[in-house]
Amino acid sequence: MYSNNSQGGGFGSLFANIPPVTKNLLLINIAVFAVMAIVPGAEAALDRWCALYYFSSPGFYPFQIFTYMFLHGSFMHLFFNMFALWMFGRTIEYTMGSARFLFFYITCGIGAGLIQEGIFAIYVHRLVSILSPEALQEVMTQGFYHLRHSMNYTDPDMAMLNSLVNSPMVGASGAIYGVLLAFGYLFPNQPIYLYFLMPIKAKWLIIGYFVLELVYGVSGSADGVAHFAHLGGMIFGFLLLVYWKRKGVFRNHWFF
């Protein structure tokens, strides 16, 4: 995707004029990925301690609700998130100011994790109600270690419960979807060139993304993507923007 809302200059100047929070978020995410890729044992250690696990998993620690958004599972995962942050984060940071943008970004990321944990709780509750006490005890005490060794149960319900409870979630996507929502909210009529070819107004693109994520999430798409986390980032971002608008935070700087 490409937005023609540039800050002037040329293509090179877009890199030279990245505001501080966006720039540092880019650098931190890239640095963490590089460490995971280069340093022996770093990927396993960071995945174990900093990825977000379900709150009843032996691998869960409260600080993971923050740290998970700086980890990425693949280069393409990192690339698309950072490309979107570079493309849209600059404009949102210039509009909000750096401190407020950082608060917004982190809030959306944390909100995304909380929403995904809440959705997992619904599925976990259903599975807990149909499993025997022995099977439940087995998953809760041993399942984490089985997954750490790339194993899972043959019983489909036990395997599903184990995956929900003990599989980690990583990525900045929830925070990024909040940034995308902010762009569509603040600049609804700004054209965005989808795949560099077809212009579409920001508001329609963001609404389309929301609907798609909702459909994928409700349908239970087994694509390994935390669709409800994406929705959570957008929802928390929207609520925060509405609150700030009512408080007059941006005064005359709303672009409708």
Side-chain angles (χ1 to χ4, degrees), residues 1-5 22 82-95 101 176 179-184 187 190-193 202 205-206 209:
M1 296 179 297
Y2 171 76
S3 167
N4 67 359
N5 185 52
T22 300
M82 295 304 99
F83 180 77
L85 176 60
W86 171 79
M87 184 62 68
F88 299 102
R90 297 172 299 129
T91 302
I92 302 306
E93 184 175 347
Y94 282 128
T95 304
F101 174 69
I176 297 300
V179 173
L180 293 176
L181 183 282
F183 190 90
F187 305 92
Q190 179 70 32
I192 297 174
Y193 287 85
L205 181 64
I206 302 310
Y209 268 129

Side-chain angles (χ1 to χ4, degrees), residues 29 51-52 66-73 77 81-82 105 109 112 169-176 229:
N29 279 277
L52 177 60
F66 171 77
T67 57
Y68 88 97
M69 70 183 82
F70 297 99
L71 277 61
H72 290 83
H77 189 197
N81 277 344
M82 295 304 99
Y105 181 93
M169 182 172 73
V170 298
S173 299
I176 297 300

Side-chain angles (χ1 to χ4, degrees), residues 77-155:
H77 189 197
L78 173 75
F79 174 79
F80 284 114
N81 277 344
M82 295 304 99
F83 180 77
L85 176 60
W86 171 79
M87 184 62 68
F88 299 102
R90 297 172 299 129
T91 302
I92 302 306
E93 184 175 347
Y94 282 128
T95 304
M96 291 183 176
S98 294
R100 194 174 296 277
F101 174 69
L102 179 60
F103 179 81
F104 179 84
Y105 181 93
I106 297 301
T107 298
C108 290
I110 291 175
L114 292 174
I115 291 292
Q116 190 65 45
E117 293 276 284
I119 295 299
F120 278 177
I122 296 172
Y123 290 119
V124 167
H125 177 75
R126 182 184 68 82
L127 289 166
V128 166
S129 67
I130 63 178
L131 285 172
S132 68
E134 295 77 17
L136 181 60
Q137 179 70 12
E138 165 64 26
V139 173
M140 292 304 182
T141 58
Q142 300 300 321
F144 177 77
Y145 304 99
H146 291 327
L147 281 184
R148 294 290 295 174
H149 292 88
S150 302
M151 297 184 295
N152 206 347
Y153 299 100
T154 55
D155 179 275

Side-chain angles (χ1 to χ4, degrees), residues 206-226:
I206 302 310
I207 291 172
Y209 268 129
F210 184 89
V211 171
L212 282 175
E213 293 298 326
L214 183 61
V215 169
Y216 284 135
V218 172
S219 67
S221 175
D223 56 4
V225 177

